[in-house]
Amino acid sequence: MSKNILHSWKNTPLASRVEEGSSKNFKTGSWRSKKPVHNKEICTNCLQCWINCPDNAIKVKDGNIDKIDYDFCKGCGICAEVCPVKAIEMKNEKDE
Amino acid sequence: MSSLKELSQRKGGITSGHRLCSGCGAGIMARQVMLAAGNYKVVVACATGCLEVATTIYPYSAWKVPWIHNAFENAAATISGVETAYKSLKKQGKIKKDLKFLAFGGDGGTYDIGLQSLSGALERGHDFLYICYDNEAYMNTGIQRSSATPKYAATTTSPYGEVISGKREFRKNITEIVAAHNIPYVAQTAVGYWNDLVTKVEKALEVKGPKFINIFTPCQLGWKYGPEKTLEIGKLAVETGFWPLYEVENGKYKINYKPQEKKPVEEFLKIQKRFNHLFKPERKEKLIQEIQDNIEKGWTELEKKEKCLN
Ligand SMILES: Cc1ncc(C[n+]2csc(CCOP(=O)(O)OP(=O)(O)O)c2C)c(N)n1
Ligand code: SF4
Ligand code: SF4
């Protein structure tokens, strides 16, 4: 038997530590097949896309849409559907 | 009620890089709940299920608040213990901060296996908010039916074929079961209605004692629709009367939104492939009508409660 086997609860580590929000180190952008492209000219900054993005991938600065974070956006298309003025267009990932 | 501009300035409780499916309603629900709670210091317990698994795959976590993993069946028991320990430490002067306690469970973890621990925690009167994100089946283990699965929905354990047409039973009404515990605040809301959702969470967190919010949470994988349709499906559930937005505050009922004219339920059914067999190869009028009648019955009952209990 290996010497590394833990023999009792006394030498079992209490817990491992996981940093808060560390999933930021795991990029999910590669899941995407379609890419939302945001048009600042048309956008009225109503923030409907921001509040409804499941992946927190729409960045807001001082109450305005700043950018879409392609490191994490999974390309679901919810933002484009919910935008009342069609300021987000879903494009094919490979065409971009 | 907080505006979107206000909410956008809050530190959210859950961040990117989680592994919920693209377009998952649970991701939307969790972000909105945590933004609504963003002005408080909160402690969260999560029952096993898609939300818990996909947001905390070791060694990562998408949570930015103290967060406790626990088993499938006991989120409410865990948060009861935490809240009790907090009260004791506060009394002893060992903790100064004011904290709020939140538990999340899926419909499997709430309507089914966690019902007993939830009921106990409600009856003991712990000061916490329980969020049930109802995606109408056990999604994380591969779409098995739960007592929240609607009648005639196909799941892997309630398939459709020559003998049966999907699930054979109507869903359980957990919101009413919870309301029967006479707790101070019970509500139903839905993904697709951020304003209603955020308002209810903010309101609940102001109330002392046990609170429960049941959130209709579309699941693109299990309900079989394109991921961009998550909000639309939430809205159709409400517009057809399938999922009324209402609250029970100290026993008083209030329907928060009454569609001027309810849409026929088939508009909600036909865009989800889990109900495909109701329309193809031929239309099963009797079954669709049965679902429609059940909605009318539920709506009439709810209106009566609103009239008598307010
Ligand atoms: C006691 C126990 N039984 C079974 C499981 C396996 N299991 C993990 S998640 C899950 C389904 C969760 O369903 P639900 O609560 O509806 O949440 P969802 O995954 O749909 O979000 C099951 C059965 C478990 N973790 N614990
Ligand atoms: S496509 Fe989906 S994940 Fe990407 S920014 Fe839009 S809502 Fe967010
Ligand atoms: S299976 Fe459903 S609930 Fe689970 S992550 Fe995917 S969309 Fe969300």
Side-chain angles (χ1 to χ4, degrees):
Chain A
M1 257 212 274
S2 153
K3 283 203 175 115
N4 293 331
I5 288 182
L6 299 166
H7 293 290
S8 83
W9 61 270
K10 285 179 191 156
N11 54 12
T12 303
L14 256 183
S16 61
R17 214 179 115 80
V18 170
E19 288 296 320
E20 64 162 50
S22 53
S23 60
K24 281 276 208 180
N25 297 314
F26 188 89
K27 309 262 196 280
T28 51
S30 63
W31 294 21
R32 209 171 47 238
S33 60
K34 290 223 163 109
K35 182 176 190 171
V37 178
H38 178 243
N39 185 339
K40 279 199 179 172
E41 311 268 300
I42 315 176
C43 173
T44 60
N45 293 302
C46 69
L47 308 189
Q48 290 288 336
C49 59
W50 167 77
I51 191 75
N52 285 303
C53 171
D55 288 279
N56 198 29
I58 299 183
K59 296 295 152 201
V60 174
K61 212 193 243 166
D62 308 323
N64 296 327
I65 303 292
D66 181 31
K67 59 169 188 195
I68 293 173
D69 188 343
Y70 294 119
D71 278 348
F72 299 104
C73 163
K74 294 173 187 159
C76 66
I78 287 174
C79 53
E81 284 272 318
V82 77
C83 176
V85 294
K86 301 209 180 319
I88 300 177
E89 196 190 335
M90 298 305 289
K91 299 202 165 155
N92 274 334
E93 185 70 26
K94 58 179 195 307
D95 296 345
E96 271 295 293
Chain B
M1 184 204 110
S2 298
S3 71
L4 286 179
K5 288 238 179 320
E6 254 171 274
L7 290 172
S8 74
Q9 272 142 33
R10 286 187 194 167
K11 182 179 172 226
I14 185 163
T15 189
S16 316
H18 60 66
R19 280 172 259 178
L20 292 162
C21 296
S22 163
C24 173
I28 304 174
M29 169 291 300
R31 269 195 67 221
Q32 294 179 355
V33 169
M34 294 309 291
L35 281 166
N39 282 346
Y40 300 101
K41 288 194 166 55
V42 294
V43 176
V44 173
C46 247
T48 311
C50 277
L51 179 70
E52 181 263 1
V53 171
T55 55
T56 57
I57 294 176
Y58 187 77
Y60 304 107
S61 169
W63 296 85
K64 302 208 281 189
V65 295
W67 183 93
I68 310 160
H69 157 76
N70 55 261
F72 187 21
E73 62 276 30
N74 59 0
T78 301
I79 209 74
S80 301
V82 178
E83 186 254 0
T84 306
Y86 162 76
K87 271 211 231 127
S88 166
L89 290 170
K90 200 146 192 208
K91 215 157 125 198
Q92 298 170 47
K94 291 182 182 162
I95 282 188
K96 300 269 182 299
K97 293 177 193 164
D98 288 320
L99 302 181
K100 300 278 180 192
F101 300 92
L102 266 166
F104 287 88
D107 49 287
T110 308
Y111 287 63
D112 292 345
I113 196 169
L115 182 59
Q116 181 183 340
S117 70
L118 173 63
S119 177
L122 300 175
E123 187 268 338
R124 290 188 303 271
H126 294 282
D127 187 15
F128 74 115
L129 168 60
Y130 191 99
I131 302 280
C132 171
Y133 67 100
D134 182 356
N135 55 23
E136 304 196 318
Y138 295 45
M139 296 311 181
N140 192 61
T141 38
I143 324 170
Q144 292 84 22
R145 60 85 87 192
S146 76
S147 60
T149 305
K151 193 164 187 180
Y152 300 130
T155 68
T156 52
T157 49
S158 63
Y160 67 91
E162 281 170 25
V163 182
I164 58 167
S165 292
K167 193 188 169 198
R168 282 175 285 187
E169 304 82 13
F170 281 112
R171 44 180 299 144
K172 184 195 273 179
N173 192 334
I174 193 87
T175 309
E176 291 301 302
I177 294 171
V178 169
H181 287 73
N182 294 320
I183 60 171
Y185 189 76
V186 180
Q188 271 195 184
T189 184
V191 165
Y193 294 84
W194 71 265
N195 198 341
D196 188 75
L197 191 158
V198 167
T199 305
K200 284 173 177 163
V201 173
E202 286 181 339
K203 194 167 179 178
L205 288 173
E206 284 295 306
V207 176
K208 228 179 144 46
K211 288 85 60 177
F212 177 88
I213 302 181
N214 198 2
I215 307 183
F216 187 79
T217 308
C219 158
Q220 56 110 328
L221 191 83
W223 301 8
K224 304 193 173 14
Y225 63 84
E228 75 284 359
K229 297 273 180 252
T230 296
L231 303 180
E232 186 184 334
I233 290 181
K235 288 197 173 120
L236 281 169
V238 172
E239 291 290 344
T240 55
F242 179 88
W243 187 265
L245 303 180
Y246 75 103
E247 56 192 350
V248 191
E249 223 178 320
N250 297 314
K252 288 180 184 165
Y253 278 71
K254 183 169 194 274
I255 304 175
N256 306 104
Y257 172 67
K258 293 182 185 174
Q260 276 193 333
E261 208 172 316
K262 287 201 283 300
K263 291 187 171 159
V265 71
E266 68 171 280
E267 291 195 26
F268 167 71
L269 303 174
K270 72 186 175 202
I271 59 169
Q272 305 171 56
K273 291 215 172 68
R274 62 176 173 156
F275 294 111
N276 231 8
H277 52 286
L278 297 182
F279 301 94
K280 283 173 194 162
E282 76 280 342
R283 194 182 155 87
K284 300 209 176 60
E285 194 57 51
K286 243 178 85 185
L287 306 190
I288 299 169
Q289 192 57 45
E290 196 188 334
I291 300 174
Q292 186 70 58
D293 293 345
N294 190 254
I295 289 179
E296 297 314 324
K297 185 170 159 263
W299 190 268
T300 311
E301 276 170 15
L302 192 59
E303 278 190 323
K304 277 190 194 150
K305 283 181 188 156
E306 189 187 38
K307 219 163 150 192
C308 303
L309 304 170
N310 73 35

